[in-house]
Amino acid sequence: MNIYCRSTLHQIEVAVESIIKIMDGLKEEDLIKRPTPSKHSIGELLSHISLICRADDLIAGGASQEEMDSFYGSKSMHTLAEMRKELQHNFHYLKERVAVWTEEMLLEETSSYWGVTYPRFEWLVEVAAHLYHHRGQLHSMLVHCYGKDPQIPMFE
């Protein structure tokens, strides 16, 4: 595996580990909290976060909107333990996928069902950005809406 993929996966792992630490400080009853009525609850956000490593890889691989709807519809997590397990499983899945990518594969461009085209390596960077984005949302929800500062380092 080249240094760029290894480094990007490391940053994804930092995000995953910090999200798990945030989850470790939550209670099951926190999952139903919804700071904004028309937006995701904490549990819905964590459920989404837990699928990012696999879902974004499927999108990067050219999955259609129907295939993605089916993927999301096949996943149902209701507890912190289920979400934690899914997040870890999907991160390990991504690591195994990236481990076999050749230089040619990293440069291969693929398109999402909504028309965005990136080389495979850029899709990997997008996974990191996506996780960090939602981790920041989760942290802000907990701190600013519920006064629950997780007190964990967000970066190394």
Side-chain angles (χ1 to χ4, degrees):
M1 181 183 319
N2 75 35
I3 184 70
Y4 304 109
C5 288
R6 189 169 39 252
S7 297
T8 305
L9 281 172
H10 175 73
Q11 290 305 309
I12 291 170
E13 186 170 25
V14 168
V16 166
E17 288 177 359
S18 60
I19 290 164
I20 289 170
K21 287 178 184 173
I22 291 172
M23 292 171 75
D24 289 344
L26 297 176
K27 295 182 170 83
E28 296 297 326
E29 55 265 22
D30 292 326
L31 297 178
I32 61 170
K33 293 178 178 172
R34 184 181 310 273
T36 306
S38 63
K39 298 295 182 182
H40 290 309
S41 68
I42 290 171
E44 290 164 344
L45 179 59
L46 282 170
S47 182
H48 175 71
I49 289 170
S50 71
L51 298 174
I52 288 173
C53 290
R54 182 129 191 182
D56 285 7
D57 182 65
L58 291 170
I59 291 167
S64 68
Q65 183 169 4
E66 294 77 22
E67 289 169 319
M68 292 311 300
D69 289 344
S70 177
F71 169 74
Y72 287 121
S74 72
K75 302 294 182 178
S76 179
M77 295 158 284
H78 302 287
T79 68
L80 288 163
E82 291 170 336
M83 293 173 202
R84 185 181 301 107
K85 183 178 177 182
E86 189 74 23
L87 176 59
Q88 291 168 325
H89 172 75
N90 290 327
F91 173 63
H92 290 294
Y93 161 88
L94 183 64
K95 278 180 25 178
E96 289 175 7
R97 294 269 298 160
V98 172
V100 300
W101 288 354
T102 63
E103 292 296 318
E104 294 79 30
M105 291 172 76
L106 288 170
L107 297 174
E108 181 185 339
E109 290 190 347
T110 60
S111 297
S112 68
Y113 62 85
W114 63 88
V116 172
T117 301
Y118 296 136
R120 184 172 271 122
F121 177 72
E122 195 167 349
W123 282 113
L124 183 62
V125 172
E126 190 277 336
V127 171
H130 196 176
L131 282 168
Y132 276 81
H133 163 71
H134 286 307
R135 184 189 66 175
Q137 278 186 315
L138 176 63
H139 187 269
S140 292
M141 288 167 72
L142 293 171
V143 170
H144 300 294
C145 300
Y146 298 107
K148 290 183 82 152
D149 189 339
Q151 297 290 318
I152 60 140
M154 300 294 273
F155 300 95
E156 289 185 314

